Amino acid sequence: MELSIIALPLVASIISGFFGKFIGDRNSEIVTSLLVTISAIFSVLVFYEVTVNQYEENIIIATWINSGSLNVNWSMKIDALSSVMLVVVTSVSALVHIYSIGYMSHDPHKPRFMAYLSLFTFAMLMLVTSDNFIQLFFGWEGVGLCSYFLIGFWFKKETANAAAIKAFVVNRVGDFGFALGIFLIFYLFGTVNYSEVFELIPSITDKKLVFLGIEVNAINLICILLFVGAMGKSAQILLHTWLPDAMEGPTPVSALIHAATMVTAGVFLVVRCSPIYEYSELALNIITIVGMSTAFFAASVALVQNDIKKIIAYSTCSQLGYMFFAAGVGAYNVAMFHLFTHAFFKALLFLGSGSVIHAFKDEQNINNMGGVWKKLPYTYALMIIGTLALTGFPLLSGFYSKDAIIEFAYLRGNTTGFYAAGIGIFTAFLTSIYSWRLLFKTFHGEYNNKNIKIEETHESPFVMIAPLILLSIGAVFAGYAFKELFIGYEAANNFWKDSIFFLKPLSKDHPPFWFLILTPTLVILSIPIAYYLFVKNKRLPEQIVTINKPLYNFLLNKWYFDELYDVLFVRSSKKFGLFLWKFFDLKIIDGLGPDGISAMIKKFSIKANKFQSGFIYQYAFIMLVGFSALLTFLIVK
């Protein structure tokens, strides 16, 4: 059963990818959706066994590399951490496959799309079930490759191609750091297997290395390099610029890759490597600072965006920041809890936005929507549930996981923890404002679309609504149902066991009552505030924008990160490339090499051609000169 979880998505991808033309579009959709759904059912059964019977196993599929001390297997590591990820990946993937049957119904390349989705699922499953860093890296690069395929699926659109390349290149930056971290691990320990590396970590706590001319602690360097990879894959600030552009792909891609699976790989990496990170206070502080900075940055940008998918994309970026600063304060189980709940309500919001886009015939600007809550009643109701869960409304899933992150940051007790808790509370308020802005401008107020009559908008088919209903159940109940299992007092011993390592036990204290009610109060108050701003008094936001035009432009242009990178890296690289091309390549290499030699031979040939005059006396004269030169050479010699 365990091996089937991995094998079925791969088989589905092969069938749809290589034989889709023969079996037809509908059969490709059915086969891929069915096999991935079976994989999801098996994942739930494995999760049940892990939860109830404390099942753990490391299944060796095959020997991969066996050279010296490097022994790497294809394997399937089953423990609490991997079982949670199996449920998240396969369940969301199965629902996205089913949803895609309706959403991609008019696309002429459905088998290829379904094959990419299934292949991505396989790569992600290889990543989360690995028992060594090499297999992890294989899955890591596999999901990166599939994201390139899926983001650029509509390859005839220049923007889609550019977004796919951007995602691929930015992730290569992070992956370079990740690869260096793996090399360093093998250099220090002679192995890349988790169990062996984690066991040897305490033995090098004081070991120093010289890196780029600076003496650094070996564990600090390993942790920072691994985190660079996590920053790229999970779109943390500085390496985040690919995520909003990735919305150029079809909406099911956004729900699968950029809400529940690929972007959570970085969080999974940090949590899996908790036995290393627990010995590096520096790395944990860096993760906390990067996480809370990302949470605030992305939330502030989402406030002013108008593309419905980009707003949710920045929301994803912000929520990933929460997960990272939870890990940074040592609450790895809380980070996984938020990853788990976030998968349901964020996939719900992405697929809900796809339903809206479907109704508006590919319109994505929320300023061109409005007044359709009666026309799209199911989508409207389900997106309300997703919005409530995302904002952390009391008793929904986001309330339990997000508030737990803020509370554990506060209980950390140091400056970084207090700062993270404060940023987390303020970001929660911003999250609520931009989330309700999206909902109110999309469904309420006046109908603003001039190209499509309101009568032409329609609810999505059942094949698209059904996955939303199932996701909404998780968005409502996942937090309450799994709170004690994931973050209860005995969770570290009873559920997580050895899959997460805590050098210091998490605090069992409670924050003060005022702190506990602060975030939910702000979340609830934000609803009438957003309704007043974006439905009742629309002129007020315009006046605020007019007064704060520089700030508005700063946020609208995403803190000018793209422009900054364009100046620092893109333009400078182009100029440097042109210099190398025109000076070194054309003038030196070609000039002195093939072009120079051919030009010299050509000139010599032209000169030599003048001797071919056809006059016998000239030929005789040349022969005489040549003969005299030869005699002179022989005599002198």
Side-chain angles (χ1 to χ4, degrees), residues 172 287 340 343 358 421 453 461 463 484 542 556 571 577 607 614:
R172 294 293 71 71
I287 292 172
F340 182 75
H358 185 75
K453 295 180 180 179
V463 73
E484 287 301 317
E542 295 174 1
L556 187 65
R571 294 185 187 177
K607 295 291 185 183

Side-chain angles (χ1 to χ4, degrees), residues 29 33 93-105 110 113-114 117 251-253 351 463-464 467:
E29 294 169 339
S33 300
S93 178
L95 294 175
V96 168
H97 274 74
I98 296 169
Y99 178 91
S100 299
I101 295 174
Y103 190 87
M104 302 295 289
S105 59
K110 289 185 280 292
F113 182 76
M114 303 304 284
L117 289 182
T251 299
V253 173
L351 296 184
V463 73
M464 292 174 63

Side-chain angles (χ1 to χ4, degrees), residues 6 52 68 80 101 150 214 351 423 426 612 627:
I6 292 177
V52 176
I101 295 174
L150 288 166
I214 304 172
L351 296 184
I423 292 292
F426 184 61
Q612 303 299 319
F627 182 67

Side-chain angles (χ1 to χ4, degrees), residues 399-417:
F399 166 75
Y400 293 100
S401 57
K402 187 190 293 184
D403 281 27
I405 292 174
I406 297 171
E407 290 167 21
F408 275 99
Y410 178 85
L411 292 173
R412 177 78 172 186
N414 59 11
T415 304
T416 307

Side-chain angles (χ1 to χ4, degrees), residues 103 538 570:
Y103 190 87
K538 295 183 178 180
V570 178

Side-chain angles (χ1 to χ4, degrees), residues 118-131:
S118 298
L119 183 62
F120 172 86
T121 306
F122 164 73
M124 190 69 193
L125 291 173
M126 293 301 296
L127 188 158
V128 301
T129 58
S130 62
D131 75 340

Side-chain angles (χ1 to χ4, degrees), residues 464-504:
M464 292 174 63
I465 294 297
L468 299 182
I469 295 172
L470 294 174
L471 287 169
S472 68
I473 295 172
V476 174
F477 298 110
Y480 177 77
F482 294 97
K483 180 175 183 288
E484 287 301 317
L485 181 68
F486 280 43
I487 63 172
Y489 287 137
E490 299 302 323
N493 297 321
N494 295 341
F495 178 64
W496 296 110
K497 293 187 175 180
D498 295 333
S499 62
I500 297 179
F501 176 74
F502 297 97
L503 188 62
K504 299 177 183 177

